Each structure stands twice: as C-alpha cells, then as structure tokens.
Amino acid sequence: MYSDADIEEAVGAGVLSAEAAAAFRAHVAGKHGTPVADEEQFRLVTGFNDIFVTLAAGLVLTAVGWMVASWHLAAAGGAVAATSWGLAEYFTRMRRMALPSIFLLLTFVGGVFAALLASVVDDFLMFDWQGTTLPALAAALAAWLHWRRFHVPITVAAGAGALVAAALGFVLDSTLDHDPSLTESILQPLMFVAGTAVFVWAMTWDLSDTKRRTRRSDIAFWLHLLAAPLIVHPVFSLTAGESGSDVLSSLTVVLVYVLFGAVSLAIDRRALLVSAAGYLFFAIYVLVGVAAPEFRHALAALVVGGTLLLLSAFWQGARALVLGVVPDAWRRRLPPGLH
C-alpha cells in the first residue's frame, strides 16, 4: 500500500506528473466517496516482508539484549540501541520499509532509555518516577539524532514522549523528595498539561498540510496518538470521580465523549475517540445495567461498536455539521470537508 506522501515523493522525483497525481487522488476520492485526506493514511505495512523482517529483527535484538544482560544490564540497553541503529541503516535508510523502521526506532530509543535508567536506579524492574529524568532526556536526544539520520515520522512522537516523561519525572522527583503523598494528586494534571502541549504541537504539523499529502501529516498522526491518552485519562478520571452517583457520572462521561467527538470531527482525527472508547464502554455498561443488567456487557459493546461504525460510515456528513458551527477563520485552516 502506498501513502499520499509516497505519491508526493514520486511527483518530486519526476516519476509521476502533478496532473497524474491529482487525477489519481480524484479517482480514489470518487471511489471511496470521501476526500483522500479524510482517510488518515499512514504507512505501517508495505507488504508481508515488513512483518517478516520485524519478527526477525525482534529475535536478533532479544538475543543481543539477553546475552549482554548476563554481563551488565546497562550495556544490554546500549547493545540493543546500537544494533537497532545498524539494522536501520539498511532496512530504513536503504530499503525504506515501514513497519521495521517503526520497530527499530522504538527499540533504539528504548534501548538508550533502558541503558541510562539501569545506570541510575538500583532495581531496574522496581522503580517509580525517581531517576527517570536523565534517561528520558537521553532518549529524547536519541530520537532527535535518529530523526536527523532517517526521518521516520513516528520519531517526532517518540521524542515528544521522552520529553514528556522527562518533565513528569523532574516534577514528580522533586515532589517525592518533599511530600510523597502529593504524587497522585499532581500526576493527572501534569499529564493533561503535557497532553495539551503535544496536541498543540500535532496541530501545528496538521495545519501545515491540511490536504495531508506530505510526511508532515504522518508526523501529526503519531503526535495525536501520543496526545490522546495523556488528555483523555485525566479528563475522564476527574469526570468519573467528581460527578456523584454512578448514573450521573456515566452520563457526564458520555457528554464529554460527545465533546471529544466534535473536536475529532473538526480536526479530522480519530485518536481522541479511540483513546476514550474504553471509558465510553464503561459508562454505557453502567447505564444499560439499570434496565437490563443481564445483557450489560453485550449491549455496551453493541452501542459503542455500532456508534463508532456509524460515525465512520457518515464521517464526512458529521464533519459538515460540526464545521458549520466552527468560526470561518478556524474552518479555513482545517482539512477541507464536503462542499
């Protein structure tokens, strides 16, 4: 499968003319009944060989980490990171394989983080936020270096995630030194602030490519996936915890989900809806349990699944309704909807 960014690269390389690319996009849009930008395309698997190579790379990295860990745990992380970079030189830089590139980026950044973390904590498997700031900053630097070399779209989100972890680690580390009991009360607000910052960053990439024809759209996609859980979990935790009865709390969750749905439709991204689906399922589970407790699991799954399927089927129509109430100045900067 080829993404819209691949078509743009083909145009830039002279393989396709701009007119042929435009005609192809129009054909796809007419066939699917939606604009190409609305499909939220990104490259994950270009063929079964992607899966084959990813599995093989996973086995090699596991073996490398396992053998080196018997000598020194921190060195194992470094060995995994170094091996991941070496494999990326071929499978990412030369072969441009999608899934292996994502996998090798994550193992490289994760290896750097693990190597530093194992150097600063006594028990690698039993740690809290203390000691994570320096390893997370190192992981962010590793992501930046990887981006400079390979330009894998998920790298920006990986670096952003590392920076978020570094910021949370720094604040919580300072808090734990003074009053450990404050950790739970400040963690969720910090997550929300971090998620909002990542969301704004994702929108800057999105707004620079509203037709979603370049790599910038792929970068925004991964940033939205990172931002969504950071925003969703604190919001729904606060909503469910302060709304009173179970029924009232569940109704509030549904209303917040509807608000998230409106935002998702406006920006033409589905990450918030996916991240919040679990909370919606639990809310519907509580609500239908009042009338039909014996079928609450099935009914909750049916309602949530059916709602998401209907929303997917009528996405453009729903977008048109939402965009109709969005101020003109904002609407002109968002991905185009139906005309």
Side-chain angles (χ1 to χ4, degrees):
M1 178 179 179
Y2 303 99
S3 69
D4 215 40
D6 292 324
I7 298 175
E8 283 297 306
E9 290 181 1
V11 172
V15 177
L16 288 175
S17 66
E19 293 76 13
F24 176 74
R25 291 190 181 99
H27 169 72
V28 173
K31 181 179 178 181
H32 292 173
T34 61
V36 174
D38 189 55
E39 298 296 329
E40 263 192 288
Q41 298 181 13
F42 71 100
R43 289 208 311 165
L44 182 61
V45 178
T46 54
F48 186 75
N49 196 35
D50 280 43
I51 300 173
F52 181 80
V53 170
T54 301
L55 289 174
L59 291 173
V60 169
L61 293 173
T62 299
V64 169
W66 200 331
M67 289 188 294
V68 179
S70 63
W71 169 61
H72 196 285
L73 195 58
V80 169
T83 305
S84 298
W85 185 285
L87 293 172
E89 288 288 346
Y90 178 72
F91 292 107
T92 299
R93 189 171 176 82
M94 297 180 63
R95 294 288 302 276
R96 300 176 64 84
M97 300 180 73
L99 186 60
S101 297
I102 294 171
F103 176 73
L104 293 172
L105 171 276
L106 294 177
T107 53
F108 172 71
V109 174
V112 172
F113 178 81
L116 269 293
L117 186 63
S119 301
V120 299
V121 300
D122 296 328
D123 191 340
F124 183 77
L125 298 178
M126 297 293 293
F127 74 97
D128 48 29
W129 285 97
Q130 289 183 305
T132 60
T133 303
L134 180 60
L137 287 175
L141 177 60
W144 180 78
L145 293 173
H146 198 281
W147 170 257
R148 298 285 295 177
R149 179 67 172 171
F150 302 108
H151 290 89
V152 180
I154 195 177
T155 310
V156 178
L163 289 176
V164 168
L168 292 177
F170 176 77
V171 174
L172 293 176
D173 198 3
S174 303
T175 303
L176 286 170
D177 290 337
H178 295 88
D179 188 356
S181 64
L182 294 176
T183 301
E184 289 299 323
S185 62
I186 68 172
L187 177 59
Q188 291 185 7
L190 286 174
M191 289 176 60
F192 179 78
V193 171
T196 302
V198 175
F199 177 81
V200 171
W201 195 13
M203 289 304 302
T204 62
W205 289 94
D206 252 345
L207 296 178
S208 67
D209 181 22
T210 56
K211 293 185 178 180
R212 297 181 180 168
R213 294 180 176 176
T214 69
R215 183 178 284 138
R216 292 192 296 272
S217 176
D218 293 340
I219 295 170
F221 170 83
W222 292 109
L223 284 170
H224 279 295
L225 281 187
L226 172 64
L230 292 172
I231 294 173
V232 165
H233 179 67
V235 168
F236 281 108
S237 294
L238 178 64
T239 300
E242 297 186 0
S243 297
S245 68
D246 288 339
V247 173
L248 180 58
S249 175
S250 299
L251 287 173
T252 306
V253 167
V254 172
L255 291 175
V256 173
Y257 192 87
V258 171
L259 177 61
F260 278 168
V263 173
S264 298
L265 287 165
I267 66 174
D268 207 8
R269 290 292 186 185
R270 297 162 176 82
L272 284 173
L273 293 175
V274 174
S275 294
Y279 293 96
L280 179 64
F281 176 87
F282 183 76
I284 300 299
Y285 171 86
V286 172
L287 293 174
V288 300
V290 175
E294 66 275 17
F295 297 114
R296 60 175 62 183
H297 291 91
L299 287 175
L302 180 63
V303 170
V304 175
T307 299
L308 294 179
L309 286 175
L310 287 172
L311 188 58
S312 176
F314 300 101
W315 184 266
Q316 272 296 313
R319 274 204 81 214
L321 293 176
V322 172
L323 292 176
V325 299
V326 172
D328 290 341
W330 294 8
R331 185 168 59 248
R332 285 193 294 267
R333 302 189 62 189
L334 294 171
L338 290 176
H339 298 288

